[in-house]
Amino acid sequence: MKCFEKLVLSHLIACFPPTLDPHQFAYRPNRSTEDAISTAINLALTHLDNNNTYIQMLFIDLAICTSICNWIMDFLTNRTQSVRLGNHLSSTLTLNTGVPQGCVLSPLLYSLFTHDCIPWHNSNIFIKYADDPTVVGRISNNDDSAYREEIQCLSAWCSMNNLTLNSMKTKELIVDFRKSSSSRHSPIYINGSEVERVSSFKFLGVHISEDLCWHLNTSTLVRKAQQPLYFLRRLKKFTYPPRS
């Protein structure tokens, strides 16, 4: 089955243009988390060069032939699943949503599934890395209406596509360098729940702070490196007899 999936995968890739979902940085050749991070920061810094602007970043916790389409539909629907724990086996459950874990086609199918998840307003950008999308709102003249409308559209898209937008794990970060910024930014609500606003966020393994400095990320890396260095220093004290 894996071999056949690889054949279908190569056929699908040959049908797609190279510009497919340019802001999806996962499951794509020559793309990585570094590309997603640098793109988000570059968008923010470029916009902040303009007067009376700031950035709002919302970190969210989400021509093929007919025969191929029919095969994929048959492949994804009416799949059965059960759980084995020791000698116990659960009852079988039929699944018609999601993709099989470990499947060769799953990464590409997920990218296709979220391909139409695009911003409605030009002032907003979606940075997508697998199921961790980030909304970058480029705000000008204190008008964040397009950004707020974008969040509601994204929430509606998730509902229509059987995805859950976890408002408890979703965080918002505001980058505002204006000296005269004394106005309080109104909170964002998703499905009636207020989104927590943070001063820093760990985005794809890198800590991004509201001042876009690297002090927090650097200090975190230093602390992370201290433990293995401590053990290396301890091991250095042990001496071994020379080999005969």
mmCIF file of all heavy atoms in Angstrom, residues 229-238:
data_model
loop_
_atom_site.group_PDB
_atom_site.id
_atom_site.type_symbol
_atom_site.label_atom_id
_atom_site.label_comp_id
_atom_site.label_asym_id
_atom_site.label_seq_id
_atom_site.Cartn_x
_atom_site.Cartn_y
_atom_site.Cartn_z
ATOM 1 N N LEU A 229 26.391 21.121 29.529
ATOM 2 C CA LEU A 229 27.752 21.576 29.803
ATOM 3 C C LEU A 229 28.173 21.222 31.225
ATOM 4 O O LEU A 229 29.347 20.911 31.481
ATOM 5 C CB LEU A 229 27.855 23.086 29.585
ATOM 6 C CG LEU A 229 27.810 23.558 28.128
ATOM 7 C CD1 LEU A 229 27.798 25.076 28.063
ATOM 8 C CD2 LEU A 229 28.994 23.006 27.345
ATOM 9 N N TYR A 230 27.218 21.260 32.146
ATOM 10 C CA TYR A 230 27.517 20.893 33.530
ATOM 11 C C TYR A 230 27.959 19.436 33.611
ATOM 12 O O TYR A 230 28.956 19.099 34.265
ATOM 13 C CB TYR A 230 26.285 21.119 34.402
ATOM 14 C CG TYR A 230 26.390 20.507 35.780
ATOM 15 C CD1 TYR A 230 27.161 21.106 36.772
ATOM 16 C CD2 TYR A 230 25.721 19.317 36.077
ATOM 17 C CE1 TYR A 230 27.258 20.540 38.037
ATOM 18 C CE2 TYR A 230 25.809 18.749 37.328
ATOM 19 C CZ TYR A 230 26.577 19.359 38.304
ATOM 20 O OH TYR A 230 26.675 18.794 39.548
ATOM 21 N N PHE A 231 27.244 18.559 32.922
ATOM 22 C CA PHE A 231 27.612 17.146 32.944
ATOM 23 C C PHE A 231 28.951 16.910 32.248
ATOM 24 O O PHE A 231 29.730 16.035 32.652
ATOM 25 C CB PHE A 231 26.516 16.306 32.294
ATOM 26 C CG PHE A 231 25.264 16.209 33.118
ATOM 27 C CD1 PHE A 231 24.094 16.801 32.695
ATOM 28 C CD2 PHE A 231 25.265 15.534 34.330
ATOM 29 C CE1 PHE A 231 22.941 16.716 33.457
ATOM 30 C CE2 PHE A 231 24.115 15.440 35.099
ATOM 31 C CZ PHE A 231 22.951 16.037 34.664
ATOM 32 N N LEU A 232 29.226 17.684 31.211
ATOM 33 C CA LEU A 232 30.518 17.543 30.542
ATOM 34 C C LEU A 232 31.664 17.952 31.467
ATOM 35 O O LEU A 232 32.730 17.326 31.466
ATOM 36 C CB LEU A 232 30.535 18.385 29.263
ATOM 37 C CG LEU A 232 29.684 17.880 28.098
ATOM 38 C CD1 LEU A 232 29.703 18.877 26.948
ATOM 39 C CD2 LEU A 232 30.192 16.521 27.618
ATOM 40 N N ARG A 233 31.429 19.013 32.251
ATOM 41 C CA ARG A 233 32.465 19.432 33.204
ATOM 42 C C ARG A 233 32.671 18.377 34.281
ATOM 43 O O ARG A 233 33.797 18.146 34.737
ATOM 44 C CB ARG A 233 32.082 20.776 33.823
ATOM 45 C CG ARG A 233 32.240 21.962 32.881
ATOM 46 C CD ARG A 233 32.158 23.277 33.640
ATOM 47 N NE ARG A 233 30.837 23.483 34.215
ATOM 48 C CZ ARG A 233 29.857 24.148 33.610
ATOM 49 N NH1 ARG A 233 30.065 24.666 32.402
ATOM 50 N NH2 ARG A 233 28.685 24.305 34.191
ATOM 51 N N ARG A 234 31.584 17.738 34.708
ATOM 52 C CA ARG A 234 31.714 16.673 35.707
ATOM 53 C C ARG A 234 32.482 15.480 35.139
ATOM 54 O O ARG A 234 33.322 14.877 35.813
ATOM 55 C CB ARG A 234 30.329 16.222 36.172
ATOM 56 C CG ARG A 234 29.562 17.260 36.983
ATOM 57 C CD ARG A 234 30.234 17.485 38.340
ATOM 58 N NE ARG A 234 30.326 16.257 39.110
ATOM 59 C CZ ARG A 234 29.376 15.817 39.934
ATOM 60 N NH1 ARG A 234 28.254 16.512 40.076
ATOM 61 N NH2 ARG A 234 29.542 14.696 40.613
ATOM 62 N N LEU A 235 32.183 15.136 33.898
ATOM 63 C CA LEU A 235 32.872 14.004 33.277
ATOM 64 C C LEU A 235 34.354 14.285 33.078
ATOM 65 O O LEU A 235 35.181 13.365 33.077
ATOM 66 C CB LEU A 235 32.221 13.675 31.929
ATOM 67 C CG LEU A 235 30.827 13.050 31.983
ATOM 68 C CD1 LEU A 235 30.237 12.942 30.583
ATOM 69 C CD2 LEU A 235 30.885 11.667 32.631
ATOM 70 N N LYS A 236 34.686 15.562 32.915
ATOM 71 C CA LYS A 236 36.087 15.926 32.697
ATOM 72 C C LYS A 236 36.947 15.603 33.911
ATOM 73 O O LYS A 236 38.162 15.364 33.793
ATOM 74 C CB LYS A 236 36.169 17.413 32.359
ATOM 75 C CG LYS A 236 37.558 17.881 31.973
ATOM 76 C CD LYS A 236 37.552 19.365 31.629
ATOM 77 C CE LYS A 236 38.952 19.838 31.261
ATOM 78 N NZ LYS A 236 38.966 21.290 30.933
ATOM 79 N N LYS A 237 36.328 15.580 35.097
ATOM 80 C CA LYS A 237 37.084 15.318 36.322
ATOM 81 C C LYS A 237 37.491 13.856 36.451
ATOM 82 O O LYS A 237 38.393 13.529 37.215
ATOM 83 C CB LYS A 237 36.251 15.737 37.536
ATOM 84 C CG LYS A 237 35.950 17.231 37.583
ATOM 85 C CD LYS A 237 35.118 17.574 38.808
ATOM 86 C CE LYS A 237 34.814 19.068 38.854
ATOM 87 N NZ LYS A 237 33.978 19.420 40.037
ATOM 88 N N PHE A 238 36.786 12.988 35.747
ATOM 89 C CA PHE A 238 37.122 11.574 35.827
ATOM 90 C C PHE A 238 38.287 11.277 34.879
ATOM 91 O O PHE A 238 38.296 11.724 33.729
ATOM 92 C CB PHE A 238 35.920 10.706 35.454
ATOM 93 C CG PHE A 238 34.793 10.807 36.436
ATOM 94 C CD1 PHE A 238 33.758 11.711 36.232
ATOM 95 C CD2 PHE A 238 34.759 10.010 37.568
ATOM 96 C CE1 PHE A 238 32.710 11.813 37.126
ATOM 97 C CE2 PHE A 238 33.719 10.103 38.470
ATOM 98 C CZ PHE A 238 32.693 11.006 38.258
#
